[in-house]
Each structure stands twice: as C-alpha cells, then as structure tokens.
Amino acid sequence: MSALFEPITLRSLTVPNRLWMAPMCQYSAAPEGPAEGAPGDWHFQHLAARATGGTGLILAEATAVSPEGRITPYDLGLWNDTQTEAFRRITDFLKTQGTVPGIQLAHAGRKASTERTWVDRGAPILPGQRHGWEPVAPSPVPFDDGFATPAELSVAQIRERVAQFGAAARRALAAGFQVAEIHGAHGYLINEFLSPFTNRRTDEYGGSYENRTRFALEVVDAVRAVWPDELPVFFRISATDWLTEDESDAREGWTADDTVRFARELREHGVDLLDTSTGGNVPDAKITTGPGYQVPFAERVRKESGLAVGAVGLITEARQAEKIIADGQADAVLLGRELLRSPSFAQHAARELGAEITLPQQYHRAAV
C-alpha cells in the first residue's frame, strides 16, 4: 500500500490521497469591468485538468480579499457576488472528480500592484499609472528598489483587513470550497506583520513576538468563525526569512523557532494544517535550494508542534513524494511546477508506486 495514496481525514473531511496541488497564480482574471477578479475559462481548465489527473486536493491560487490585496490587477478575488458565482462552476466540477476544492485567501500587502511575472519580470505598477494603486503594509518599508513605499495601516484599517478575510471566507464557503487556506507566507501582508524585518511598528501590532503575531491570529479567528466546524482551515507560512540561515547577515527576521512556536498557537486557534514554505519577504536573502529543500522545516513543525503539515519545494518525483509521507516528514505533499508540467502526475505516480487510483470513465483505456 502506498503511503502517498492513503486517504487523510481532517475534521470531517476525507481527502482521497496525500498528493495535492499548491496555489499558483495564473494572472488571468479581468483587471476591470463586471468580471473583474472572477475566474474564467482559463481557471476552469487549469484546475479541472489536475482534478481529472487524480490530484487529491487542489488549492486555487492566491485569491485577494479586496481589490488592493491583489498582487497584480489580473489576480482572482473574492470580494463580490459575481466572483462567488463564477467559482461555483469550478468547485462543482472538482467534486465530481473526487477532488477536494480549496482556496487560498490572500492580501499582497507591500508586494501589491505589480505586472504579471511574464511582463517586465513582474515590475511594480506605481500609483497613478494605469491599473496601479498604493500598496499598504504594517510599516512604510518598500519591498525592493523601484517599488512604491506602502502606506502604514492604522489600527482601524488593520481591523478592516481582518474583517475582509472573514467576509472572503464566507464567500468561499458559498462558492463551494471545502478548505480555506490563509496565506501567511512569501512576504505578503500577514508575513509582513509576523517578521521583524518588515514590521517596525511600536503599537499593539508590532515589536514583541506576541504583538507581531496578533494580526495573523485575528485573521485566523475571523475565518474560523465563519468556516464550519466540520471543515478544515489551513495556514500557509514562510517558516524562515532565511536571514538566520546566513551567519554573515545580522538582520533580524522570522525564524524556524518562531514557526514552531506559532504552529502550536495556530492549532489552538483552530488551524488544522500548516502549509510550510519559506522565503519571499527579503528580496536579497540567500536561499539554498535543492530537491525537497523545504521539507525539513515541515518535518520539524510536525514533530515539535503536533500540527499536521504539508511539505513543498522541488518535489518532482513519485518516489520522493512517497518517502516524505512514509517517513513521517509530512502529512501531505503539495506540488507546484511539476503539476504545471504534468497535470496527470497523480496518475503516473500511482502507476509507478503500484497504487490504485480512480480515473475518469472517459480515460478508462489508460488503466489497461
């Protein structure tokens, strides 16, 4: 029996296998007009193809809780009824394939208002330029050279953003999603509050560890308050800013120790799984990459906090993914680029590992 293809139950939701799709922005929504931020045909085929390919759980890309929370003008959103209705077509289809539909709720913070990654390498769109707007953040610290200095959020504005996450979660449920993931990674708004590298505040939302984690926990509570008890909530985290991994860099950032401590608190607040990534908050951080390079961070969280974890990071082979699960390093693996290259990766992996997987009836010839 393949460990990778064993079902897993989180609360009352059973996912058919441990091979999941990580959120990956497509930058393909309308930037304005009646369908602004709503998924269309591209999003349907993109997610549907991975479902027919056997992926157990699919997390739709980072979906903004407000227009200003988009990374680019072409991001998906969940701040109005048109967007909610457009998602239903996708979630309905994913469920017919036995795939669990999930969504990542996000706010880009100081990394907002940029071009798509294939246009000028994702260059910033400055306020006043077409489709540009002023980004917001815990502190007025621009992400990198050429980026706009973000407006520092007031306490009242912070609480508005908390409410926006709750409202987006309510819409996600109405749209048919069964998992809500809160995006607290990769240098976006929640990550910016967590890390002392980007959070320079001196009020109740800055300074101490307890203050820097306050916004994230308030968001979790707002989402959990509207999300059914029987359905799971995930949290995606950057387990390290990679500053403490470089002994020559004296800058202070978020650390793996912080992540383990925070995971215990997330569990107490009703989070069911930590989707464990790294980096994205410090543009010049020195990151050592390689196959499965982020898995050890997930493994440590799992062992020291008791919270279920998902592992990510250059997981590209079936036996590699199988070993991660079989060795107890993670409860699930989330594939990104490999699922872009091979939408039916789960089918190929099941065949290689000798596991059974249900194929669409239309593809029955592939089982012979």
Side-chain angles (χ1 to χ4, degrees), residues 35-51:
E36 179 183 12
D41 288 346
W42 176 264
H43 303 92
F44 180 88
Q45 71 79 28
H46 169 63
L47 300 175
R50 279 79 194 167

